[in-house]
Amino acid sequence: MTPTPSLRGWELLIAMAGALAAMAGTTAAYLTDDHAWRYLVAAGCLAQFVGWTLHGRRLRGGAR
């Protein structure tokens, strides 16, 4: 263990927040028929991609 605590798991937090945002945007777009919610869906998907990419990079040590 390291003497200073480090924040771990924030990558998964980003991915899960992105999933929640995408689901909320999809539900809101369906219920309101407003196409502006698609931006929330796109942002949620982007957050999922970034979160899972960072998580995978951390597990593999930065190797591709």
Side-chain angles (χ1 to χ4, degrees):
M1 292 186 60
T2 60
T4 57
S6 62
L7 183 63
R8 293 184 184 245
W10 61 272
E11 301 94 351
L12 292 178
L13 181 65
I14 292 172
M16 292 303 113
L20 182 63
M23 288 189 300
T26 302
T27 303
Y30 176 74
L31 292 176
T32 64
D33 283 334
D34 188 8
H35 295 289
W37 290 106
R38 67 181 176 209
Y39 298 113
L40 180 61
V41 175
C45 292
L46 178 64
Q48 284 186 64
F49 175 76
V50 169
W52 285 116
T53 302
L54 290 174
H55 178 67
R57 185 179 298 166
R58 182 174 65 91
L59 289 181
R60 289 178 297 182
R64 285 187 156 203

